[in-house]
Structure formats: C-alpha cells, structure tokens
C-alpha cells in the first residue's frame, strides 16, 4: 500500500506546457534583474508563484532551469523554418534574432561570464541549449543539401552557430548599436551565405 507521500505524488496533476513556460519566463525575468549570481530558486518561485518543490520536480537546480529557459524561449526555432531556399531560411532566422536583440543581447553577454566561472552551468548550457540549438541551425544547411542547393554539407556549416551568435552579441561592443535586421541581413549576404556556398 503506498504511503501518504507517494499517494500525494500520484494525485498531483501534471504541469501543463503553458504553466511550464510561465515558470521559465519567470526565471529569465528574474535573471535579467539580478544576474546569474544573484538568481536563486527562492526568487524564481516567488516570481512564478509556486513552491521551490515544484521547480525542483522539473529541474535539478538553477543551472538546468536557466539553460532550459534559454532554450525554450529562444527567438528562432530553426527546425521550424523552411522557406525553400538557404538564403530565405537564414534571413528568416536573423530577422527573428533582431526582434529580440534588445532583450537578449545583455542577457547572453552576462551569461557568458557566468558560464566561464560555473562549470555546472557551463555543462547545463552546453547540453540543454548550445548543442540542440547548433544541431537545429546546421539542420537548415542539411535541408539545403536535400533540396539540391548544396552538393554536400560545407565545412563552414560547423561554424554557423558561433558566427550567428557572435555577430549578434558583439554588435553593441564593436559598433555601439544592436544587431538589427539590416545589419544581420548584410552579414548573411556578405559573410554567412558566401562561406556556405563556396566552402
């Protein structure tokens, strides 16, 4: 016969996808306000109006929760983009990035420092965010191969995730402005696309 704790667990309703997104968005809202070092599961639970136990049932700890939130709320989902051409797919991706630049550039820059100093966070970000996102991005190139636009996957495809992320995040440092759609479109036409087509 199950004890009271197990019975309560069995009776507990599953979290809906919408509620899970509420928790992930709450985590990022607090992260933007206090930074990674100041972030705690207590603060996230308070903002999300849930218990810490609810958070820990979904994620082992703060690093995994943050990585999951960054992946789930990413502005572009390359696996859902298929315009019929490689250039069209790349332009769609960077346009979506540009719409989120004001909100996400500072967040990603701050996370970069935290990743360098927190190995558990670095592991969570690599496995839950960077690797799946990189696979999705390279998948855009693979679809171009399947359509016959490219004979095979070019070597430059392996650098596509780093290039897109770096030009987006470093734009304020190098030029004093955010990576808007015009800038990123120019990057696609003059850097990314030539590298993919001719490598």
């Amino acid at each position: 016969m199950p004890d009271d704790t197990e019975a309560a667990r069995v009776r507990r309703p599953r979290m809906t996808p919408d509620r899970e997104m509420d928790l992930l968005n709450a985590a990022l809202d607090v992260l933007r306000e206090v930074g990674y070092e100041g972030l705690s599961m207590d603060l996230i639970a308070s903002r999300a109006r849930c218990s810490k136990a609810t958070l820990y049932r979904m994620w082992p700890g703060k690093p995994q929760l943050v990585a999951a939130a960054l992946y789930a709320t990413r502005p572009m989902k390359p696996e859902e983009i298929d315009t019929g051409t490689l250039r069209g797919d790349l332009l769609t991706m960077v346009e979506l990035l540009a719409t989120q630049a004001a909100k996400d550039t500072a967040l990603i820059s701050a996370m970069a420092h935290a990743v360098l100093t927190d190995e558990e966070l670095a592991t969570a970000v690599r496995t839950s965010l960077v690797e799946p996102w990189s696979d999705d991005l390279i998948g855009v190139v693979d679809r171009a191969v399947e359509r016959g636009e490219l004979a095979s996957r070019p070597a430059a495809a392996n650098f596509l995730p780093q290039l897109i992320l770096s030009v987006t995040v470093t734009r304020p440092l190098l030029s004093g402005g955010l990576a808007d759609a015009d800038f990123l479109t120019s990057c696609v036409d003059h850097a990314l696309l030539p590298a993919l087509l001719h490598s």
Side-chain angles (χ1 to χ4, degrees):
M1 181 174 180
D3 59 24
D4 290 343
T5 301
E6 184 175 350
R9 181 184 61 79
V10 172
R11 289 195 303 268
R12 185 180 297 117
R14 290 186 175 184
M15 183 175 294
T16 66
D18 286 346
R19 180 54 177 153
E20 183 175 346
M21 282 302 301
D22 288 342
L23 302 184
L24 295 171
N25 280 312
L28 290 190
D29 286 343
V30 179
L31 178 61
R32 289 187 181 96
E33 292 171 12
V34 304
Y36 184 77
E37 290 75 10
L39 187 68
S40 68
M41 298 296 261
D42 284 306
L43 286 174
I44 297 170
S46 177
R47 178 64 59 88
R49 297 182 179 180
C50 69
S51 68
K52 280 200 302 182
T54 297
L55 298 179
Y56 281 114
R57 280 197 301 271
M58 299 291 294
W59 302 280
K62 181 174 77 167
Q64 294 78 17
L65 172 51
V66 168
L70 290 169
Y71 185 73
T73 61
R74 67 203 190 282
M76 64 168 179
K77 297 175 174 59
E79 72 278 12
E80 298 176 1
I81 297 172
D82 191 352
T83 65
T85 68
L86 178 58
R87 182 176 186 270
D89 290 352
L90 292 174
L91 291 180
T92 299
M93 288 192 301
V94 298
E95 286 167 5
L96 291 171
L97 274 178
T99 65
Q100 295 289 105
K103 184 165 64 172
D104 288 344
T105 299
L107 176 61
I108 294 173
S109 297
M111 286 295 299
H113 173 72
V115 164
L116 291 175
T117 59
D118 187 320
E119 183 56 38
E120 186 179 9
L121 174 64
T123 299
V125 167
R126 280 195 300 269
T127 58
S128 300
L129 174 64
V130 175
E131 291 173 5
W133 189 69
S134 296
D135 289 343
D136 290 342
L137 276 176
I138 295 173
V140 170
V141 179
D142 290 337
R143 286 195 290 277
V145 174
E146 293 169 4
R147 288 192 298 262
E149 286 186 86
L150 300 172
S152 61
R153 180 195 288 181
N158 296 323
F159 299 95
L160 185 60
Q162 295 95 323
L163 291 172
I164 287 181
L165 185 60
S166 63
V167 297
T168 302
V169 173
T170 60
R171 170 73 165 164
L173 173 65
L174 299 178
S175 303
L178 293 172
D180 58 20
D182 288 341
F183 171 76
L184 291 175
T185 295
S186 182
C187 179
V188 167
D189 284 335
H190 300 294
L192 300 181
L193 201 55
L196 292 169
L197 293 175
H198 302 296
S199 66

